[in-house]
Amino acid sequence: MDDTTRTDYERLAERLTARGADVAAIERRLAEHRVETPSWGYANAGTRFGSYPPEGLPSTPFEKLDDAAEVHRLTGSAPLVAVHIPWDQLDDYAPLKQHAAALGLEIGTVNPNLFGDKRYKLGSLVNPDAAVRRLATDHMLECIEIASVLGSTGVSLWLPDGTNYAGQDAFAVRRRRLHDCLAEVYAALPAGIELLVEYKLYEPAFYATDLADWGSSLLTCQKLGPQAKVLVDLGHHAQGVNIEQIVATLADEDRLGGFHFNNRKYGDDDLIVGSVNPFELFLIYAELAALPRLPRLTIDQAHVIEHKIEGMVLSVVNLQEAFAKALLVDRAALAERQAAGDVLGAHELLLDAFATDVRPLTAKVREEKGAAADPVAAFRDGDWWERVGSRRDAGATTGGLGA
Amino acid sequence: MDDTTRTDYERLAERLTARGADVAAIERRLAEHRVETPSWGYANAGTRFGSYPPEGLPSTPFEKLDDAAEVHRLTGSAPLVAVHIPWDQLDDYAPLKQHAAALGLEIGTVNPNLFGDKRYKLGSLVNPDAAVRRLATDHMLECIEIASVLGSTGVSLWLPDGTNYAGQDAFAVRRRRLHDCLAEVYAALPAGIELLVEYKLYEPAFYATDLADWGSSLLTCQKLGPQAKVLVDLGHHAQGVNIEQIVATLADEDRLGGFHFNNRKYGDDDLIVGSVNPFELFLIYAELAALPRLPRLTIDQAHVIEHKIEGMVLSVVNLQEAFAKALLVDRAALAERQAAGDVLGAHELLLDAFATDVRPLTAKVREEKGAAADPVAAFRDGDWWERVGSRRDAGATTGGLGA
Amino acid sequence: MDDTTRTDYERLAERLTARGADVAAIERRLAEHRVETPSWGYANAGTRFGSYPPEGLPSTPFEKLDDAAEVHRLTGSAPLVAVHIPWDQLDDYAPLKQHAAALGLEIGTVNPNLFGDKRYKLGSLVNPDAAVRRLATDHMLECIEIASVLGSTGVSLWLPDGTNYAGQDAFAVRRRRLHDCLAEVYAALPAGIELLVEYKLYEPAFYATDLADWGSSLLTCQKLGPQAKVLVDLGHHAQGVNIEQIVATLADEDRLGGFHFNNRKYGDDDLIVGSVNPFELFLIYAELAALPRLPRLTIDQAHVIEHKIEGMVLSVVNLQEAFAKALLVDRAALAERQAAGDVLGAHELLLDAFATDVRPLTAKVREEKGAAADPVAAFRDGDWWERVGSRRDAGATTGGLGA
Amino acid sequence: MDDTTRTDYERLAERLTARGADVAAIERRLAEHRVETPSWGYANAGTRFGSYPPEGLPSTPFEKLDDAAEVHRLTGSAPLVAVHIPWDQLDDYAPLKQHAAALGLEIGTVNPNLFGDKRYKLGSLVNPDAAVRRLATDHMLECIEIASVLGSTGVSLWLPDGTNYAGQDAFAVRRRRLHDCLAEVYAALPAGIELLVEYKLYEPAFYATDLADWGSSLLTCQKLGPQAKVLVDLGHHAQGVNIEQIVATLADEDRLGGFHFNNRKYGDDDLIVGSVNPFELFLIYAELAALPRLPRLTIDQAHVIEHKIEGMVLSVVNLQEAFAKALLVDRAALAERQAAGDVLGAHELLLDAFATDVRPLTAKVREEKGAAADPVAAFRDGDWWERVGSRRDAGATTGGLGA
């Protein structure tokens, strides 16, 4: 931390303390903030109009962990890595787990893949063909086993199934198929592993998606049991939907399983989290900061034109700053003004926290953890390319979304 | 029915019969189609930019029933009238019930009003002030009593509560308030009266609405009990949401309480049902036609520039035609093609039903019920103005939305 | 045409004639309806989540024309084929032109490709790097030459350029780059070839697209000259935008260059035109039918799960039916009611045309042109697979969107 | 400015200076920032579901100016007041101009009203009835005269005209009517008064609005002449539209007439500017800060539940902070990174400016102008109620939107 940042930090701490805030407690909570980055976020990715793989991309799960370790080294709060099967498939997962441990990382969620295989043309767990449903169910079961081996506490379920044309299939029949398959999957869940049921308005299905919104995911979880929870991907809602309210509702129902963080302006744009509406991200964290413990905080982004590691570092930094701002909200005063019906008075308490420049605070917490005060600059000034990127086989990138 | 329509009907019946359809059964189901029109749809209405009350508007609940009777007379399938409290408030409801019976009508749902009263500035059942919540709860209880007196089988709940600014109030606290109030309301429900829990994305609240989507309404119903069901208003969804899928899900969960029919292109536009996307309306009816019995089918529209009775007649006609087309779908073939994964084959069965000109069929069914073969033309050619409209006090319109 | 359809046709013609319609004139206009299908619509296509190439896909421009010829054979109104460079690139285009002629086809628009090439990572005509802009401009110039050789009258410009992050580039600077490149392109246009400037709200750019709406395309055309016209793709608008109004405005400004027909419920879904909101398609045709001549009518769809030829046939049929319904609108009565401010009276004239089952009429017109009365059924019952599909090299599909 | 803010200011100024910023120049530009508040924003307003007029509302144009003066006194940068005819109609405008001058205010734009009058049921300048078009045109002409008398430099045109049903009227015919009326209006414009042509996607028209987007407004301006410019209301776009890009385009075409500032999450919500997405507001100001001079900056909001003066003060403060942040952007570095294609490097320069807590800077500039360091607190702690509000006639509020 340079002198300027140090001075700024002291000034901020002083001001917060004067206001009655417990700066040490805020820093402790910030230090406990653990983000999960996705192995596939380090690999090639594109849109249906093409991808632009830069040099230095990782080509094995081990190399992806190396990049994740770089992000963790710089930010100090990205110790978890989500893996994807089959993109990270191995005959033996023990070496991967060891590699992670050696890098100071843990494996986060295991993410099954229910798209892409030619047999999934008409869906996976909801396919009209029982044999395909069997295939998809078996893949889910396999992922639970992999999660057990890797010490993961969560298996995600993003169900890409849906229909493209009205009448193509019957909604109620499809619900039956889905619930039957998932009942079998859920029964195989060991204690300590949660099933994270994601939802998405559309894409790749364009008429109706079987799990299209939080309501449909929650209904599914209710049918399965308490180890099934809803996963909120910020890019998967209709325009105008209030995401922080959904987060609060799911938390209130004890069904908030976690996040797929990214940002979007239009569809499922998979941009860097916080890059379109950072105030919305802050409001989500304002809900999270009020909970007894944070849920899974996974990033799910597809960096198409920006540098993947730099983009991931910036994403973690954006999350840290959103959390820091959320921790500054004077909750006692807020509750008081809310109860008194002081509309703008309550609103201004959020504005005040959001307007605060918390970068000195997050810099200080990062530095205390041995990470970089300014992680993006540190990456740009660092030697990742010489040390890692340039040593990789330029041609050997493994696939990712749209790649 | 003129000769042209008669010939067209015979041609259509012949063709359907040749295809294996049971025309008599279709006509029976069409004849049983019962739509509920809203008393407030006959009164003045506008936007926040003004209203344009024509002459001849009704100024009492009795006069509104007179207009509803005209719609029923012409269409043969609008025997129910929804009432609104306090817009239709009376000291004694017995005369209203008698007036309805004399006109061949029944009272449908009773619709409480939780907006407009100056005390509801910060909400009704979710207001931070317990005294206001008491007021709102008492109004709900009063409406249940009125429903009992009027022989109504449903009390609706459209909750306009929400917040306009982030931080204005706490989501979880508001949920508690809502559930507490509704628990008391639900406890007062006699057997045979359902509570219909509506949802709406936004307006009049512009940051967050407490019951914003079907998921939040369904969760509320689950907490209350089996007499609580979800009411779907076609204009209350985010852009792009698949409404027929929501209908199918709610029906599958046995929680589809009914509809507020209208249409919208942008926000909650309250246009004539079927005027923006008649194919979507058909798809909704295609779901309904597959159910053992139809749910409540209430129109909720605010005719701002068109003639109110003519607009209501056209709305009922649009619903009749949508239902008729839905009844033409060859369900056995559809299920077969769906199971076989025949994407376009299944879709085309819906297209075929939708492309069919069912007007001769609905004309015939209407005529057999003593209604008009062409209700809109019959209204235009009729003497409602001389008989009814011109006799009303031009100045004495009672308020409605935005009026 | 089977007897049933024949009878239905006669009944319809009789009814229309009785109403004062000139059925022969309507049929003449229907017979002149010429749709352009896209060569890439016959090739493989997918989403960024994968593609599902069926067997029998064409692998050369010649084979794509064979499939287009099948669509024209069945529908009688798809004589034009759009080509795409480089997907249809050849050393010598004369054989392709001859092949088209031999099949009774003409080459429609020539469609340049400004995405996918690794050098286009940050854009093509708007790239910050002048060398890349040169590359893209040269490609446009090459396509104009190809259009001349092929006898095409239009070169399209879909500009995928845009930015993913706020601040990534300067809007005004980008406009300058675009206009400079296009000035050079426009200067190279021979008489008789139009530049069709498409627009799209988003994708593949996710923060800002340089030509995002009709206004930006029209401004570009104004700067270039009268041979530059706007191309309307039905899937490229924000939710809620009134497309038929845009069509009317562009036509009124004499800048309506043509269409890319498809349908969408969410983003740029590229579904079969007319499958989501056929009433909207009818309203667009109601605008077109009032023009002195029809603009280019090109289909641009990516069939991911349905059979490509069957989907294309259905698309052409949907367009024919929309046009037929539009031709039934009683325009004299409509203008009269509009001038009189008869809101629902005017609206009902459109509803009447839309509700009419025009399939017998389109069947009759198709049959008179030697095409199929029921083209979808004819394709399903036909021998295309034996004759064509099964003879193709199963592995040799050429790429398309997301494939 | 209290000591804390003073210290924070010095710290910020030091840091900015060290970075090479010219703090004095930034402060000069901030000091020149002039916002126009709307007279109708101080009066009663509501939604179509009701309004909640607090005590102390102004009931004359003079009293509205008194409230505007309070906002200017506290913020130091709201010296202009937009007036609305007929809500601010007077027999003689000289006293109003004098009252403004006495309060240190100027009259900003004059805003005609083309809705509400019962004759405008089917539109104003686009009404099918020539007599109504005459009425509306005369009202526009009258407003130009009032603007001349009041020394205003702008007359706005928000055209609420549109249709509710497909077919209700003919798009091209309506364009002709509009252009004819506006040609007459434009011809009456004296030098020094601009016509500001607003657009809006929908409401009160729900099928098609005649000036629905910036493209249609710009086309209208082009036909009229250089004194016609486009007015951008932040709440009038379809979801997902990139407003800052539109701003840049209009400025580049020299047609950016000004703003109606507010914010929205759903439809035209008229919330406090900056309350939903402050980053978007910053991006808009980042475009404005690069222009040779700022356009008109008018607030147009309808405060339904919050205190109107407090909400207006907060709005001006939000604008000041957005402008201050925009002035911090290192434009030379930005242009360099943009030209180099450094995607995230350029983006981060905006993030850096946005993350900076500029409140000490705006406080200092306000204080130097004799305004309040913390205007919202100053209002809450002040004696407006005793001095002004409590002395007003509680019952005599004059109408506003939805009121």
Side-chain angles (χ1 to χ4, degrees), chain A residues 96-333:
Chain A
L96 190 68
K97 197 177 172 184
Q98 289 157 13
H99 190 63
L103 294 165
L105 301 174
E106 298 166 50
I107 302 300
T109 51
V110 173
N111 293 263
N113 184 335
L114 298 174
F115 60 89
D117 184 305
K118 299 313 172 204
R119 289 165 290 186
Y120 291 155
K121 178 176 170 179
L122 297 184
S124 59
L125 297 172
V126 190
N127 198 296
D129 181 344
V132 181
R133 296 200 298 274
R134 183 71 260 153
L135 180 77
T137 306
D138 286 345
H139 177 59
M140 292 297 300
L141 296 172
E142 178 199 4
C143 286
I144 292 175
E145 278 181 43
I146 295 172
S148 298
V149 171
L150 285 170
S152 165
T153 60
V155 171
S156 77
L157 168 64
W158 171 53
L159 184 77
D161 293 28
T163 53
N164 273 7
Y165 293 99
Q168 176 186 330
D169 207 351
F171 293 122
V173 174
R174 294 175 72 86
R175 298 188 81 217
R176 221 70 73 230
R177 292 182 201 138
L178 176 61
H179 295 154
D180 287 351
C181 291
L182 286 183
E184 183 180 344
V185 169
Y186 189 83
L189 272 185
I193 298 187
E194 287 183 334
L195 183 69
L196 304 163
V197 183
E198 197 167 348
Y199 57 90
K200 187 178 183 183
L201 184 64
Y202 75 102
E203 197 205 20
F206 294 126
Y207 165 65
T209 296
D210 289 281
L211 295 177
D213 54 15
W214 72 270
S216 48
S217 280
L218 178 59
L219 264 180
T220 303
C221 290
Q222 286 177 339
K223 285 180 206 309
L224 294 175
Q227 280 171 261
K229 297 204 165 155
V230 179
L231 190 150
V232 178
D233 183 300
L234 303 196
H236 290 185
H237 304 82
Q239 289 277 7
V241 165
N242 186 318
I243 301 176
E244 57 269 25
Q245 185 181 23
I246 293 173
V247 168
T249 300
L250 291 171
D252 201 36
E253 296 284 321
D254 200 20
R255 292 284 188 177
L256 179 62
F259 286 88
H260 273 183
F261 280 122
N262 50 55
N263 218 338
R264 70 93 186 240
K265 191 171 176 68
Y266 307 99
D268 178 33
D269 307 337
D270 278 344
L271 302 176
I272 290 174
V273 62
S275 68
V276 177
N277 187 347
F279 188 57
E280 182 187 59
L281 181 63
F282 160 75
L283 294 175
I284 291 169
Y285 262 97
E287 294 301 322
L288 299 183
L291 301 179
R293 57 179 195 78
L294 293 172
R296 271 176 197 78
L297 304 167
T298 307
I299 290 171
D300 182 10
Q301 295 169 182
H303 304 131
V304 177
I305 60 169
E306 66 271 39
H307 192 281
K308 286 165 198 303
I309 297 179
E310 189 181 331
M312 203 64 84
V313 167
L314 178 58
S315 301
V316 176
V317 166
N318 284 350
L319 294 176
Q320 289 174 321
E321 293 176 8
F323 189 33
K325 291 181 179 200
L327 292 170
L328 297 192
V329 175
D330 185 340
R331 301 221 158 241

Side-chain angles (χ1 to χ4, degrees), chain B residues 378-392:
Chain B
F379 178 74
R380 291 203 157 201
D381 297 342
D383 60 353
W384 173 88
W385 176 248
E386 291 71 26
R387 236 186 328 115
V388 181
S390 63
R391 295 169 183 267
R392 286 178 179 160

